[in-house]
Amino acid sequence: MLAEQVDGVIGVDTHRDTLAAAAVTPIGAVLDSADAPANARGYQRLLDFARVHIPGRRCWALEGIGCYGAGLAAFLDSAGERVVEVCRPKRPAVRGGRKTDMLDAIRAAREALATEHLIHPRRRGEREALRVLLATRQSAVLATTAAINLLKSLIVSAPDVLRVELRGLKSKDQVAYCAKLRARPTQDVEHRMTVHALRSAALRVEALRAEAKELESEILTLVREVAPALLAQQGVGPITAAQVLVSWSHAGRFRSEAAFAAFAGVAPIQASSGLTNRHRINRSGDRQLNRALHTITLVRMRLDPTTRTYVARRISEGKTARDAQRCLKRAICRQLFKILERPDRDSGAASENLPQAA
Protein backbone atom coordinates (compact mmCIF):
# COMPACT_ATOMS: atom_id res chain seq x y z
CA MET A 1 0.00 0.00 0.00
CA LEU A 2 1.21 3.50 -0.80
CA ALA A 3 0.38 4.66 2.73
CA GLU A 4 3.15 2.42 4.07
CA GLN A 5 5.78 3.77 1.66
CA VAL A 6 5.47 7.57 1.91
CA ASP A 7 5.15 10.35 4.46
CA GLY A 8 2.39 12.03 2.49
CA VAL A 9 0.64 12.38 -0.86
CA ILE A 10 -0.06 15.49 -2.90
CA GLY A 11 -3.31 15.09 -4.79
CA VAL A 12 -3.81 17.33 -7.80
CA ASP A 13 -7.02 18.08 -9.69
CA THR A 14 -5.97 19.27 -13.15
CA HIS A 15 -7.74 21.68 -15.48
CA ARG A 16 -6.80 23.53 -18.62
CA ASP A 17 -5.84 26.78 -16.88
CA THR A 18 -5.62 25.95 -13.17
CA LEU A 19 -4.33 23.25 -10.84
CA ALA A 20 -5.65 22.49 -7.36
CA ALA A 21 -3.39 20.58 -4.96
CA ALA A 22 -3.80 19.19 -1.45
CA ALA A 23 -1.16 17.67 0.85
CA VAL A 24 -2.53 14.63 2.69
CA THR A 25 -0.92 12.47 5.38
CA PRO A 26 -0.83 8.65 5.10
CA ILE A 27 -3.89 8.43 7.38
CA GLY A 28 -5.88 10.80 5.14
CA ALA A 29 -5.62 14.03 7.14
CA VAL A 30 -5.32 17.21 5.08
CA LEU A 31 -2.23 19.30 5.87
CA ASP A 32 -2.83 22.21 3.53
CA SER A 33 -4.05 23.06 0.05
CA ALA A 34 -2.98 25.38 -2.74
CA ASP A 35 -3.80 26.31 -6.31
CA ALA A 36 -1.63 27.44 -9.18
CA PRO A 37 -1.83 28.27 -12.88
CA ALA A 38 -1.19 25.46 -15.34
CA ASN A 39 2.18 26.72 -16.56
CA ALA A 40 5.86 26.37 -15.68
CA ARG A 41 5.64 28.93 -12.89
CA GLY A 42 2.62 27.16 -11.41
CA TYR A 43 4.38 23.79 -11.58
CA GLN A 44 7.31 25.19 -9.59
CA ARG A 45 4.93 26.72 -7.04
CA LEU A 46 3.29 23.35 -6.42
CA LEU A 47 6.68 21.65 -6.10
CA ASP A 48 7.74 24.22 -3.50
CA PHE A 49 4.42 23.69 -1.71
CA ALA A 50 5.08 19.93 -1.57
CA ARG A 51 8.64 20.36 -0.29
CA VAL A 52 7.41 22.56 2.57
CA HIS A 53 4.56 20.34 3.77
CA ILE A 54 5.98 16.89 2.93
CA PRO A 55 9.78 17.24 2.98
CA GLY A 56 10.43 13.50 3.25
CA ARG A 57 9.10 10.66 1.14
CA ARG A 58 6.21 11.90 -0.96
CA CYS A 59 4.16 10.91 -3.95
CA TRP A 60 2.01 12.87 -6.37
CA ALA A 61 -1.47 11.60 -7.32
CA LEU A 62 -2.60 13.28 -10.54
CA GLU A 63 -5.84 13.15 -12.44
CA GLY A 64 -5.79 13.41 -16.24
CA ILE A 65 -2.10 12.78 -16.84
CA GLY A 66 -2.83 12.09 -20.49
CA CYS A 67 -4.64 15.41 -20.87
CA TYR A 68 -4.54 18.53 -18.67
CA GLY A 69 -2.03 16.98 -16.28
CA ALA A 70 0.53 16.05 -18.95
CA GLY A 71 2.66 19.18 -18.45
CA LEU A 72 2.78 18.86 -14.66
CA ALA A 73 3.57 15.13 -14.87
CA ALA A 74 6.49 15.78 -17.25
CA PHE A 75 7.79 18.57 -14.99
CA LEU A 76 7.62 16.38 -11.87
CA ASP A 77 9.28 13.46 -13.65
CA SER A 78 12.19 15.67 -14.71
CA ALA A 79 12.47 16.85 -11.08
CA GLY A 80 12.78 13.25 -9.88
CA GLU A 81 9.40 13.17 -8.12
CA ARG A 82 7.32 10.02 -7.78
CA VAL A 83 4.06 10.33 -9.71
CA VAL A 84 1.07 7.99 -9.95
CA GLU A 85 -2.12 8.38 -11.93
CA VAL A 86 -5.56 8.16 -10.37
CA CYS A 87 -8.87 7.72 -12.09
CA ARG A 88 -11.63 10.19 -11.54
CA PRO A 89 -12.30 10.08 -7.79
CA LYS A 90 -15.62 8.67 -6.68
CA ARG A 91 -18.24 11.31 -6.10
CA PRO A 92 -20.31 11.34 -2.89
CA ALA A 93 -23.19 8.89 -3.11
CA VAL A 94 -25.62 11.35 -1.52
CA ARG A 95 -27.46 13.58 -3.97
CA GLY A 96 -26.31 17.14 -3.64
CA GLY A 97 -22.83 16.20 -2.34
CA ARG A 98 -20.26 18.96 -2.32
CA LYS A 99 -17.90 19.29 -5.24
CA THR A 100 -14.97 21.68 -5.62
CA ASP A 101 -11.56 21.45 -7.23
CA MET A 102 -9.91 21.27 -3.80
CA LEU A 103 -12.20 18.45 -2.68
CA ASP A 104 -11.35 16.59 -5.87
CA ALA A 105 -7.63 17.03 -5.12
CA ILE A 106 -8.13 15.61 -1.62
CA ARG A 107 -10.13 12.69 -3.01
CA ALA A 108 -7.36 12.01 -5.55
CA ALA A 109 -4.76 11.78 -2.77
CA ARG A 110 -6.94 9.51 -0.64
CA GLU A 111 -7.74 7.35 -3.66
CA ALA A 112 -4.01 6.78 -4.21
CA LEU A 113 -3.50 5.94 -0.55
CA ALA A 114 -6.33 3.38 -0.57
CA THR A 115 -5.62 1.56 -3.82
CA GLU A 116 -3.65 -1.68 -3.92
CA HIS A 117 -2.33 -1.43 -7.48
CA LEU A 118 -0.96 1.97 -8.42
CA ILE A 119 -1.16 3.22 -12.00
CA HIS A 120 2.18 4.35 -13.32
CA PRO A 121 1.96 7.19 -15.85
CA ARG A 122 2.74 6.40 -19.45
CA ARG A 123 6.06 7.64 -20.78
CA ARG A 124 6.37 10.49 -23.22
CA GLY A 125 9.13 10.74 -25.83
CA GLU A 126 8.90 8.05 -28.49
CA ARG A 127 5.73 6.58 -26.99
CA GLU A 128 3.97 9.96 -27.14
CA ALA A 129 5.26 10.51 -30.68
CA LEU A 130 3.63 7.23 -31.73
CA ARG A 131 0.40 8.15 -29.95
CA VAL A 132 -0.03 11.49 -31.72
CA LEU A 133 0.81 9.91 -35.08
CA LEU A 134 -1.72 7.13 -34.50
CA ALA A 135 -4.42 9.58 -33.43
CA THR A 136 -3.83 11.80 -36.46
CA ARG A 137 -3.81 8.84 -38.86
CA GLN A 138 -7.02 7.49 -37.35
CA SER A 139 -8.64 10.89 -37.85
CA ALA A 140 -7.52 10.90 -41.49
CA VAL A 141 -8.89 7.37 -42.02
CA LEU A 142 -12.27 8.30 -40.52
CA ALA A 143 -12.38 11.47 -42.61
CA THR A 144 -11.57 9.40 -45.71
CA THR A 145 -14.52 7.11 -45.01
CA ALA A 146 -16.80 10.13 -44.55
CA ALA A 147 -15.57 11.67 -47.82
CA ILE A 148 -16.12 8.39 -49.72
CA ASN A 149 -19.65 8.14 -48.31
CA LEU A 150 -20.29 11.70 -49.45
CA LEU A 151 -18.98 10.89 -52.92
CA LYS A 152 -21.22 7.82 -53.15
CA SER A 153 -24.29 9.81 -52.13
CA LEU A 154 -23.48 12.50 -54.68
CA ILE A 155 -23.20 9.88 -57.42
CA VAL A 156 -26.59 8.40 -56.50
CA SER A 157 -28.34 11.76 -56.92
CA ALA A 158 -26.19 13.01 -59.83
CA PRO A 159 -27.67 13.77 -63.29
CA ASP A 160 -28.19 10.70 -65.46
CA VAL A 161 -25.22 11.42 -67.70
CA LEU A 162 -22.79 11.42 -64.76
CA ARG A 163 -24.48 8.54 -62.97
CA VAL A 164 -24.25 6.28 -66.01
CA GLU A 165 -20.54 7.05 -66.40
CA LEU A 166 -19.75 6.26 -62.76
CA ARG A 167 -22.14 3.45 -61.91
CA GLY A 168 -20.09 0.52 -63.23
CA LEU A 169 -16.75 1.62 -61.74
CA LYS A 170 -15.16 0.38 -58.55
CA SER A 171 -14.73 2.81 -55.65
CA LYS A 172 -11.06 3.45 -56.37
CA ASP A 173 -11.79 4.10 -60.05
CA GLN A 174 -14.73 6.34 -59.15
CA VAL A 175 -12.46 8.50 -57.00
CA ALA A 176 -9.82 8.76 -59.73
CA TYR A 177 -12.47 9.52 -62.39
CA CYS A 178 -14.24 12.19 -60.32
CA ALA A 179 -10.94 13.88 -59.48
CA LYS A 180 -10.46 14.58 -63.21
CA LEU A 181 -13.95 15.83 -63.92
CA ARG A 182 -14.29 19.32 -65.40
CA ALA A 183 -17.44 21.36 -65.90
CA ARG A 184 -18.29 22.92 -69.25
CA PRO A 185 -19.95 26.31 -69.73
CA THR A 186 -22.54 24.72 -72.02
CA GLN A 187 -23.87 22.47 -69.24
CA ASP A 188 -26.71 23.54 -66.96
CA VAL A 189 -26.04 24.84 -63.47
CA GLU A 190 -27.05 21.58 -61.76
CA HIS A 191 -24.61 19.56 -63.85
CA ARG A 192 -21.77 22.03 -63.36
CA MET A 193 -22.20 22.26 -59.58
CA THR A 194 -22.51 18.48 -59.27
CA VAL A 195 -19.25 18.07 -61.18
CA HIS A 196 -17.64 20.63 -58.89
CA ALA A 197 -18.89 18.77 -55.77
CA LEU A 198 -17.78 15.37 -57.08
CA ARG A 199 -14.31 16.66 -57.93
CA SER A 200 -13.98 18.35 -54.54
CA ALA A 201 -14.99 15.17 -52.68
CA ALA A 202 -12.67 13.00 -54.78
CA LEU A 203 -9.70 15.33 -54.28
CA ARG A 204 -10.43 15.28 -50.55
CA VAL A 205 -10.34 11.47 -50.56
CA GLU A 206 -7.02 11.41 -52.42
CA ALA A 207 -5.47 14.01 -50.12
CA LEU A 208 -6.59 12.17 -46.99
CA ARG A 209 -5.31 8.85 -48.32
CA ALA A 210 -1.94 10.42 -49.07
CA GLU A 211 -1.86 11.93 -45.57
CA ALA A 212 -2.68 8.59 -43.94
CA LYS A 213 -0.01 6.85 -46.01
CA GLU A 214 2.61 9.43 -45.04
CA LEU A 215 1.70 9.10 -41.35
CA GLU A 216 1.91 5.31 -41.60
CA SER A 217 5.41 5.64 -43.05
CA GLU A 218 6.44 7.80 -40.08
CA ILE A 219 4.91 5.27 -37.69
CA LEU A 220 6.82 2.42 -39.35
CA THR A 221 10.10 4.30 -39.02
CA LEU A 222 9.53 4.92 -35.30
CA VAL A 223 8.46 1.34 -34.58
CA ARG A 224 11.58 0.02 -36.31
CA GLU A 225 13.68 2.17 -33.99
CA VAL A 226 11.81 1.35 -30.78
CA ALA A 227 10.83 -2.32 -31.09
CA PRO A 228 11.92 -4.03 -34.32
CA ALA A 229 11.25 -7.45 -32.74
CA LEU A 230 7.52 -6.71 -32.84
CA LEU A 231 7.52 -6.30 -36.60
CA ALA A 232 9.27 -9.67 -36.94
CA GLN A 233 6.19 -11.40 -35.52
CA GLN A 234 3.69 -12.76 -38.00
CA GLY A 235 0.55 -10.69 -38.29
CA VAL A 236 2.09 -7.62 -36.64
CA GLY A 237 2.17 -4.57 -38.90
CA PRO A 238 3.25 -1.00 -38.18
CA ILE A 239 -0.18 0.15 -36.96
CA THR A 240 -0.84 -2.79 -34.63
CA ALA A 241 2.74 -2.67 -33.34
CA ALA A 242 2.44 1.05 -32.65
CA GLN A 243 -0.82 0.56 -30.75
CA VAL A 244 0.73 -2.21 -28.63
CA LEU A 245 3.68 0.07 -27.82
CA VAL A 246 1.44 3.02 -26.96
CA SER A 247 -0.71 0.95 -24.60
CA TRP A 248 2.25 -0.84 -23.01
CA SER A 249 4.35 2.36 -22.65
CA HIS A 250 7.49 1.05 -20.87
CA ALA A 251 8.99 -1.94 -19.11
CA GLY A 252 7.84 -2.38 -15.53
CA ARG A 253 4.57 -0.50 -15.89
CA PHE A 254 2.62 -3.76 -15.58
CA ARG A 255 3.39 -6.04 -12.66
CA SER A 256 2.88 -9.21 -14.74
CA GLU A 257 1.78 -10.46 -18.14
CA ALA A 258 -1.56 -11.39 -16.55
CA ALA A 259 -2.06 -7.73 -15.60
CA PHE A 260 -1.23 -6.72 -19.17
CA ALA A 261 -3.74 -9.25 -20.50
CA ALA A 262 -6.42 -7.91 -18.15
CA PHE A 263 -5.60 -4.38 -19.31
CA ALA A 264 -5.96 -5.53 -22.93
CA GLY A 265 -9.32 -7.15 -22.20
CA VAL A 266 -8.18 -10.63 -23.28
CA ALA A 267 -8.10 -12.25 -19.84
CA PRO A 268 -11.28 -14.34 -19.50
CA ILE A 269 -13.55 -13.65 -16.55
CA GLN A 270 -14.99 -16.39 -14.37
CA ALA A 271 -18.76 -16.71 -14.87
CA SER A 272 -19.42 -20.00 -13.06
CA SER A 273 -22.52 -20.82 -11.07
CA GLY A 274 -23.72 -24.05 -9.50
CA LEU A 275 -22.67 -26.98 -11.65
CA THR A 276 -21.68 -24.68 -14.53
CA ASN A 277 -18.00 -23.88 -14.85
CA ARG A 278 -17.27 -21.39 -17.61
CA HIS A 279 -15.59 -18.12 -18.49
CA ARG A 280 -16.98 -15.12 -20.34
CA ILE A 281 -15.40 -12.50 -22.57
CA ASN A 282 -13.82 -9.46 -20.95
CA ARG A 283 -15.36 -6.28 -22.39
CA SER A 284 -13.29 -3.86 -20.31
CA GLY A 285 -9.70 -2.72 -20.68
CA ASP A 286 -8.01 -0.80 -23.47
CA ARG A 287 -10.26 -1.42 -26.47
CA GLN A 288 -7.75 -0.10 -28.99
CA LEU A 289 -5.16 -2.58 -27.73
CA ASN A 290 -7.79 -5.30 -27.81
CA ARG A 291 -8.57 -4.39 -31.40
CA ALA A 292 -4.89 -4.61 -32.36
CA LEU A 293 -4.59 -8.07 -30.79
CA HIS A 294 -7.78 -9.14 -32.56
CA THR A 295 -6.32 -8.04 -35.91
CA ILE A 296 -3.12 -10.01 -35.28
CA THR A 297 -5.21 -13.04 -34.34
CA LEU A 298 -7.27 -12.91 -37.53
CA VAL A 299 -4.19 -12.57 -39.72
CA ARG A 300 -2.49 -15.57 -38.09
CA MET A 301 -5.62 -17.69 -38.31
CA ARG A 302 -5.73 -16.99 -42.03
CA LEU A 303 -2.04 -17.28 -42.93
CA ASP A 304 -0.25 -19.42 -40.33
CA PRO A 305 -0.75 -23.23 -40.69
CA THR A 306 0.42 -23.82 -37.11
CA THR A 307 -2.17 -21.39 -35.81
CA ARG A 308 -4.92 -23.13 -37.76
CA THR A 309 -3.79 -26.45 -36.27
CA TYR A 310 -3.90 -24.94 -32.79
CA VAL A 311 -7.43 -23.60 -33.30
CA ALA A 312 -8.60 -26.95 -34.69
CA ARG A 313 -7.17 -28.73 -31.65
CA ARG A 314 -8.96 -26.36 -29.30
CA ILE A 315 -12.24 -26.94 -31.11
CA SER A 316 -11.74 -30.72 -30.94
CA GLU A 317 -11.38 -30.34 -27.15
CA GLY A 318 -14.93 -29.04 -26.99
CA LYS A 319 -14.42 -25.29 -27.27
CA THR A 320 -16.41 -23.16 -29.67
CA ALA A 321 -14.66 -21.36 -32.52
CA ARG A 322 -14.94 -18.05 -30.66
CA ASP A 323 -13.54 -19.56 -27.46
CA ALA A 324 -10.61 -21.02 -29.40
CA GLN A 325 -9.97 -17.59 -30.91
CA ARG A 326 -9.98 -16.02 -27.44
CA CYS A 327 -7.45 -18.59 -26.23
CA LEU A 328 -5.24 -17.71 -29.17
CA LYS A 329 -5.58 -13.99 -28.47
CA ARG A 330 -4.53 -14.56 -24.86
CA ALA A 331 -1.44 -16.52 -25.99
CA ILE A 332 -0.49 -13.78 -28.46
CA CYS A 333 -0.81 -11.19 -25.71
CA ARG A 334 1.56 -13.24 -23.52
CA GLN A 335 4.10 -13.52 -26.32
CA LEU A 336 4.08 -9.81 -27.18
CA PHE A 337 4.42 -8.84 -23.54
CA LYS A 338 7.54 -10.99 -23.14
CA ILE A 339 9.04 -9.40 -26.25
CA LEU A 340 8.30 -5.90 -24.95
CA GLU A 341 9.63 -6.52 -21.45
CA ARG A 342 12.85 -8.10 -22.74
CA PRO A 343 13.72 -6.30 -25.98
CA ASP A 344 17.27 -7.70 -25.95
CA ARG A 345 15.91 -11.14 -26.80
CA ASP A 346 15.40 -12.02 -30.44
CA SER A 347 11.99 -12.93 -31.82
CA GLY A 348 12.76 -16.62 -31.85
CA ALA A 349 13.77 -16.76 -28.20
CA ALA A 350 10.71 -14.75 -27.21
CA SER A 351 8.43 -17.56 -28.23
CA GLU A 352 9.94 -20.10 -25.84
CA ASN A 353 7.47 -21.99 -23.65
CA LEU A 354 4.54 -20.54 -25.61
CA PRO A 355 2.06 -22.29 -27.88
CA GLN A 356 3.46 -22.44 -31.39
CA ALA A 357 0.22 -20.90 -32.61
CA ALA A 358 1.19 -17.68 -30.92
Side-chain angles (χ1 to χ4, degrees):
M1 299 289 290
L2 182 63
E4 302 171 354
Q5 305 172 16
V6 298
D7 299 325
V9 175
I10 302 93
V12 183
D13 183 34
T14 61
H15 294 276
R16 187 190 66 179
D17 301 318
T18 60
L19 303 169
V24 178
T25 66
I27 61 173
V30 181
L31 296 174
D32 199 359
S33 59
D35 55 15
N39 53 37
R41 183 177 298 178
Y43 302 156
Q44 186 61 49
R45 184 191 304 176
L46 292 185
L47 182 56
D48 295 338
F49 165 82
R51 287 170 174 168
V52 169
H53 292 88
I54 309 177
R57 300 173 303 169
R58 59 178 172 266
C59 180
W60 295 75
L62 273 61
E63 282 189 63
I65 285 183
C67 186
Y68 293 138
L72 177 60
F75 174 83
L76 294 174
D77 183 67
S78 63
E81 296 289 312
R82 182 180 180 182
V83 181
V84 298
E85 184 176 3
V86 294
C87 300
R88 178 181 176 182
K90 296 179 181 178
R91 302 300 186 224
V94 180
R95 182 184 293 271
R98 295 180 301 164
K99 195 275 182 196
T100 65
D101 293 344
M102 205 55 64
L103 288 176
D104 285 345
I106 296 171
R107 291 187 186 116
R110 289 173 176 169
E111 184 80 12
L113 288 168
T115 187
E116 294 183 3
H117 302 300
L118 299 174
I119 304 175
H120 298 283
R122 292 182 173 94
R123 293 278 173 83
R124 297 188 66 84
E126 294 170 331
R127 181 258 166 200
E128 182 66 10
L130 283 172
R131 187 193 68 80
V132 296
L133 288 175
L134 275 179
T136 307
R137 179 190 173 276
Q138 179 65 14
S139 175
V141 170
L142 293 176
T144 302
T145 302
I148 291 175
N149 291 339
L150 172 64
L151 183 67
K152 294 286 188 179
S153 65
L154 291 174
I155 292 174
V156 169
S157 60
D160 290 340
V161 177
L162 286 173
R163 194 166 62 249
V164 169
E165 294 176 358
L166 296 168
R167 181 179 296 171
L169 301 178
K170 297 180 180 179
S171 294
K172 185 177 180 180
D173 297 330
Q174 285 178 341
V175 172
Y177 187 91
C178 290
K180 299 177 182 178
L181 284 175
R182 294 293 183 272
R184 299 175 183 175
T186 56
Q187 296 167 338
D188 58 55
V189 64
E190 178 188 353
H191 194 285
R192 285 186 283 112
M193 292 304 102
T194 302
V195 167
H196 180 72
L198 289 171
R199 184 174 69 252
S200 177
L203 291 174
R204 186 185 308 172
V205 171
E206 291 183 341
L208 288 169
R209 282 176 172 170
E211 179 184 344
K213 187 175 181 179
E214 180 183 358
L215 290 168
E216 185 173 348
S217 176
E218 294 289 343
I219 291 171
L220 176 60
T221 302
L222 264 177
V223 172
R224 282 175 174 167
E225 294 176 0
V226 177
L230 277 183
L231 295 175
Q233 303 302 306
Q234 186 168 20
V236 182
I239 304 304
T240 53
Q243 183 59 60
V244 171
L245 286 169
V246 167
S247 300
W248 169 75
S249 181
H250 60 275
R253 181 167 182 260
F254 295 93
R255 62 186 182 276
S256 65
E257 61 90 13
F260 182 66
F263 178 77
V266 299
I269 298 175
Q270 279 280 0
S272 304
S273 177
L275 299 178
T276 303
N277 185 12
R278 71 180 187 90
H279 294 78
R280 69 170 178 85
I281 188 173
N282 188 346
R283 291 184 172 86
S284 62
D286 188 328
R287 303 316 298 172
Q288 295 302 318
L289 176 57
N290 187 281
R291 179 184 179 184
L293 293 174
H294 184 71
T295 301
I296 297 170
T297 301
L298 294 180
V299 172
R300 292 193 181 186
M301 290 176 64
R302 187 174 72 248
L303 300 178
D304 185 16
T306 309
T307 299
R308 290 199 295 268
T309 303
Y310 171 81
V311 173
R313 178 168 60 84
R314 286 292 190 175
I315 293 175
S316 67
E317 293 173 354
K319 294 186 179 294
T320 64
R322 294 186 67 182
D323 287 340
Q325 182 176 320
R326 291 168 191 161
C327 293
L328 177 61
K329 191 186 296 187
R330 177 67 177 86
I332 291 174
C333 180
R334 181 183 301 112
Q335 180 193 34
L336 296 183
F337 180 76
K338 290 189 175 183
I339 293 173
L340 292 169
E341 290 291 310
R342 287 172 282 184
D344 55 310
R345 299 176 62 181
D346 57 28
S347 58
S351 59
E352 291 177 349
N353 302 322
L354 290 175
Q356 290 300 314

